[in-house]
Amino acid sequence: MSADIRLTEYGPMSSSLKCSSLSELCVDKVGVQTGPFGSQLHKEDYVEVGTPIITVEHLGDNRIFHVDTPFVSDEDKARLSKYHLAEGDIVFSRVGSVDRRALVRKEEDGWLFSGRCLRVRVDKTKIDPVYLSYFFGLEGFKNYIRNIAVGATMPSINTKILSDVPIYYPECLEEQRKIANIFYTSDEKIELNRQTNQTLEAIAQAIFKSWFVDFDPVKAKIAAKEAGQNPQRAAMAAIAGKSIEQLDTLPAETIKQLQTTADLFPDALVDSDLGEIPEGWEVDTVKGLVELSYGKALKKIDRVEGEFPVYGSGGGAGTHNKFHVEGPGIIVGRKGTVGSLYWSDQSFFPIDTVFYVQCKGEVTLEYVYYLLQTLGLENMNTDAAVPGLNRNNVYRLEVPRVPNELIKAFSVFTKTLRKKISNAQAETNSLEQLRDTLLPKLLSGGLGLSEQEKAVVNG
């Protein structure tokens, strides 16, 4: 090993880096702080509107999720001032997944953290908190903190354990900030991609619901007929999500596409076993549309890391050098996370805890993907010990049998959205891989800062 490299708890590090315990880099007394004990804050103290309080479930990959956060009153916020968060703090999971951490950003300044978390507050004249947050994301650090956690069944860390961990860092604050900025910028782009994809998915779901659950274009035609208006233009407006007057502002090609699609919807609803459905549609079952095929067992000894994603019921489960299903495809959780749904653009390997979807006839994957989201599969557990999904129960579910031309029209709309989602996800995957490989190289001295900056810019 080069004289410029030293072997540390986390792997090889450059000898030029300074080493201090975390406590030496934190503010006095409250640098590493446990959240409030249960006796200080109870679930019944939560209110509908107030200051958010985060717990382990809100810790993402160096980012705090703003979903389903409980709130505390202004009185409790004042009473628990010791547990306020400030921009630049880093929050750790105290129990369970003890390697989870998240940087507190400006929008979370003044929030609180729960007793299942630990807060790190550094002395910013000694170390840049953003740099430190990425240091905590090193795979070597995460392995180390998992290994020193206490408790066999439920790993946990405390203020003493976290305070004593060694931190390696450039002594120059400006260099720390340059390193931090590179990874922070990448993560902001990753978050933007995530939000964009979330919006695109919501649009596709809204279109499906409008067309095939609420039958909005059909109802628009019915209402227009009763009002003595043009039914087709009313349906076109419903499909576009605009008023009839706004249709004239759309490009000619869009108008033509809307006219073609509107023609595919009838102008009446009729009674059926499912309630009212569009005239001319039939009632079918899921079995008439798809086959849910079993995934294939894949033993660890047989797996070779490769280019094809492996899917279990909890989502991505690594990679393999062979695929079992040619992409794109849909994966449905069978064991464990019942009814979970995943879309894969790539060819993939579904293991035996999932089903993969095979469409029948002219039914498209895009249509089936959004149809399955409306069927409540996550509530169809049939096994007591290990949650499980029985495909025969899914097959029996009754659904409208939509005309093939309308299914194709829906797929045309959603293929464009899914392409954008796919492109954004591919960029995210590249940025994550770049982030996770560059920081260890930089800290080990295997890559200079200017080389790293150039690599990030060039992607």
Side-chain angles (χ1 to χ4, degrees), residues 206 209-221 234-235 238 265:
K209 184 174 184 292
S210 175
W211 290 18
F212 306 121
V213 177
D214 296 333
F215 313 128
D216 288 335
V218 179
K219 291 177 180 176
K221 283 189 174 183
F265 287 95

Side-chain angles (χ1 to χ4, degrees), residues 10 92 96 98 146 186 195 220 224 302 312 318 325 350 356 386 441 453:
Y10 316 127
F92 268 86
V98 295
R146 287 193 292 261
S186 293
Q195 292 179 4
D302 297 326
V325 179
Y356 62 92
V386 179
K441 288 182 180 179
E453 291 171 325

Side-chain angles (χ1 to χ4, degrees), residues 47 90 160 197 261 312 452 457:
V47 295
I90 302 164
K160 171 64 174 169
N197 281 359
T261 306
Q452 180 188 9
V457 171

Side-chain angles (χ1 to χ4, degrees), residues 338-356:
V338 169
S340 54
L341 286 170
Y342 306 99
W343 176 282
S344 179
D345 288 299
Q346 296 175 260
S347 297
F348 59 95
F349 198 108
I351 61 177
D352 51 3
T353 59
V354 302
F355 298 114
Y356 62 92

Side-chain angles (χ1 to χ4, degrees), residues 372-442:
L372 292 175
Q373 293 184 33
T374 69
L375 300 182
L377 302 185
E378 67 278 7
N379 300 317
M380 294 182 65
N381 174 40
T382 55
D383 297 338
V386 179
L389 179 67
N390 186 317
R391 65 177 179 176
N392 289 321
N393 290 341
V394 180
Y395 285 156
R396 285 192 284 267
L397 294 175
E398 290 186 326
V399 294
R401 185 60 171 94
V402 178
N404 290 332
E405 287 303 313
L406 192 49
I407 290 177
K408 290 178 182 177
F410 173 77
S411 295
V412 168
F413 271 86
T414 51
K415 275 183 187 294
T416 302
L417 298 178
R418 295 226 59 86
K419 181 64 175 176
K420 291 179 180 179
I421 291 171
S422 177
N423 289 342
Q425 187 58 52
E427 182 182 39
T428 290
N429 294 343
S430 296
L431 288 170
E432 289 177 339
Q433 184 178 15
L434 191 65
R435 176 196 64 196
D436 295 343
T437 56
L438 277 179
L439 186 56
K441 288 182 180 179
L442 178 67

Side-chain angles (χ1 to χ4, degrees), residues 296 307-310 319-327 346-350:
K296 188 176 180 182
E307 61 179 299
F308 302 108
V310 175
T319 61
H320 191 39
N321 67 337
K322 297 178 182 178
F323 67 87
H324 184 57
V325 179
E326 188 172 353
Q346 296 175 260
S347 297
F348 59 95
F349 198 108

Side-chain angles (χ1 to χ4, degrees), residues 162-375:
L162 195 55
S163 295
D164 289 345
V165 297
I167 306 298
Y168 296 87
Y169 57 100
E171 191 166 5
C172 174
L173 272 170
E174 186 57 33
E175 187 175 351
Q176 293 177 31
R177 293 186 185 113
K178 285 182 179 179
I179 294 170
N181 185 62
I182 290 169
F183 295 102
Y184 188 86
T185 301
S186 293
D187 273 0
E188 289 301 289
K189 178 58 178 172
I190 289 170
E191 175 61 12
L192 179 61
N193 285 347
R194 186 193 69 80
Q195 292 179 4
T196 299
N197 281 359
Q198 195 174 50
T199 299
L200 293 172
E201 281 286 4
I203 291 172
Q205 291 167 3
I207 294 173
F208 185 93
K209 184 174 184 292
S210 175
W211 290 18
F212 306 121
V213 177
D214 296 333
F215 313 128
D216 288 335
V218 179
K219 291 177 180 176
K221 283 189 174 183
I222 294 171
K225 284 172 59 180
E226 293 175 349
Q229 298 173 343
N230 186 318
Q232 189 191 46
R233 282 181 63 81
M236 289 165 60
I239 293 167
K242 298 184 178 296
S243 67
I244 292 177
E245 293 74 24
Q246 289 174 317
L247 289 176
D248 296 328
T249 66
L250 298 176
E253 187 60 34
T254 301
I255 291 291
K256 183 178 179 181
Q257 188 179 24
L258 289 172
Q259 288 173 335
T260 301
T261 306
D263 287 340
L264 300 174
F265 287 95
D267 58 5
L269 295 170
V270 296
D271 288 330
S272 76
D273 291 341
L274 288 171
E276 287 191 327
I277 62 173
E279 187 177 46
W281 294 19
E282 299 175 356
V283 175
D284 202 346
T285 62
V286 172
K287 186 174 178 60
L289 304 181
V290 303
E291 179 178 347
L292 299 177
S293 300
Y294 287 99
K296 188 176 180 182
L298 180 62
K299 298 179 181 178
K300 285 186 178 180
I301 195 171
D302 297 326
R303 184 185 298 196
V304 179
E305 294 298 313
E307 61 179 299
F308 302 108
V310 175
Y311 281 94
S313 63
T319 61
H320 191 39
N321 67 337
K322 297 178 182 178
F323 67 87
H324 184 57
V325 179
E326 188 172 353
I330 303 168
I331 302 94
V332 182
R334 183 176 73 87
K335 288 287 186 182
T337 311
V338 169
S340 54
L341 286 170
Y342 306 99
W343 176 282
S344 179
D345 288 299
Q346 296 175 260
S347 297
F348 59 95
F349 198 108
I351 61 177
D352 51 3
T353 59
V354 302
F355 298 114
Y356 62 92
V357 173
Q358 292 182 292
C359 296
K360 296 181 178 179
E362 297 184 59
V363 177
T364 66
L365 277 171
E366 291 83 8
Y367 174 80
V368 168
Y369 182 61
Y370 293 102
L371 171 67
L372 292 175
Q373 293 184 33
T374 69
L375 300 182

